[in-house]
Amino acid sequence: EAGVAQSPRYKIIEKRQSVAFWCNPISGHATLYWYQQILGQGPKLLIQFQNNGVVDDSQLPKDRFSAERLKGVDSTLKIQPAKLEDSAVYLCASSSGTPNQPQHFGDGTRLSIL
Amino acid sequence: QKEVEQNSGPLSVPEGAIASLNCTYSDRGSQSFFWYRQYSGKSPELIMFIYSNGDKEDGRFTAQLNKASQYVSLLIRDSQPSDSATYLCAGNSGGSNYKLTFGKGTLLTVNP
């Protein structure tokens, strides 16, 4: 079974620029998550999709971050404009969405803001 | 605010010893708990999960859950240098969206 695919693996941009990340979940997984993991911290949920609908985006900084999951499969996360504090690893995860089933993570995108 | 707290470590144990990782949570509505292992520069990898009070064993790993004390632990027996990693505890908030709240992680080093 193919895992969660993410790209790019690394991205370096200057502050105030924009950036986008892409995620393809495990086939058949209805639920997709985007997390932000700052160095030395645990992952923090930014947004959760169930199929193509948003379930939770309470911790998404909506003035600069946006995400979509068209057709309920792939997803993109965008930051515009980027700030220095956005330097982090952005992790995508997916799960079947049924009770007590684990989330499976992609390799993440390491973002550095100069 | 729902929180998951972990002893931040770092924790250092000799090879062959038992490593004990602990986690407490504030949300009494949490139904299940997950332990993830994260090697430096890598993504979290699921070790095991538990949702019933008591112990759950899987090879060298044992997860323990005490809902009355809001306490979760992970024991690693016969620790190996390859177990050296950050261990993340996560609680599922329940409800309809199965949202995970992660602790900050505990860095474990197993010395040969």
Side-chain angles (χ1 to χ4, degrees):
Chain A
E1 175 183 79
V4 176
Q6 287 190 248
S7 67
R9 288 298 313 277
Y10 305 92
K11 191 73 178 180
I12 301 174
I13 62 171
E14 294 186 348
K15 60 183 179 183
R16 291 188 289 273
Q17 286 188 324
S18 63
V19 64
F21 314 126
W22 173 83
C23 173
N24 183 265
I26 292 173
S27 178
H29 277 189
T31 309
L32 185 147
Y33 310 80
W34 282 103
Y35 289 89
Q36 179 192 59
Q37 187 174 24
I38 293 173
L39 187 65
Q41 303 287 320
K44 182 183 84 170
L45 180 68
L46 293 175
I47 189 167
Q48 176 183 346
F49 292 94
Q50 180 75 16
N51 295 309
N52 61 348
V54 175
V55 174
D56 188 331
D57 62 357
S58 57
Q59 298 192 93
L60 185 73
K62 298 181 185 63
D63 57 334
R64 299 183 300 106
F65 287 64
S66 65
E68 61 182 10
R69 192 184 184 197
L70 300 177
K71 301 181 182 178
V73 182
D74 293 8
S75 177
T76 56
L77 175 70
K78 297 179 181 178
I79 307 175
Q80 181 179 11
K83 291 185 175 181
L84 293 175
E85 60 260 34
D86 299 332
S87 293
V89 176
Y90 291 84
L91 295 163
C92 179
S94 71
S95 75
S96 64
T98 52
N100 299 324
Q101 290 304 302
Q103 298 178 19
H104 299 272
F105 286 83
D107 288 336
T109 297
R110 184 174 300 275
L111 175 66
S112 297
I113 312 296
L114 303 179
Chain B
Q1 183 171 347
K2 300 172 183 176
E3 292 185 346
V4 173
E5 301 282 344
Q6 293 185 247
N7 47 339
S8 57
L11 176 65
S12 181
V13 300
E15 184 174 356
I18 296 176
S20 178
L21 303 160
N22 305 313
C23 173
T24 58
Y25 60 95
S26 63
D27 180 14
R28 286 197 172 273
S30 294
Q31 297 178 350
S32 53
F33 298 87
F34 300 81
W35 283 100
Y36 285 84
R37 177 177 62 198
Q38 188 171 28
Y39 292 115
S40 181
K42 301 294 186 181
S43 62
E45 170 194 12
L46 181 70
I47 298 294
M48 60 191 306
F49 67 92
I50 186 168
Y51 53 86
S52 298
N53 269 329
D55 296 358
K56 179 180 179 181
E57 187 174 319
D58 184 1
R60 296 186 296 111
F61 299 92
T62 299
Q64 299 173 319
L65 174 59
N66 184 324
K67 291 188 177 181
S69 300
Q70 297 179 238
Y71 176 87
V72 191
S73 67
L74 180 70
L75 300 178
I76 306 174
R77 290 182 301 280
D78 188 24
S79 296
Q80 301 297 309
S82 59
D83 295 326
S84 298
T86 295
Y87 288 80
L88 297 164
C89 172
N92 185 323
S93 64
S96 61
N97 62 353
Y98 310 115
K99 173 180 174 179
L100 285 185
T101 300
F102 282 85
K104 292 183 177 181
T106 299
L107 176 61
L108 170 67
T109 300
V110 180
N111 301 304

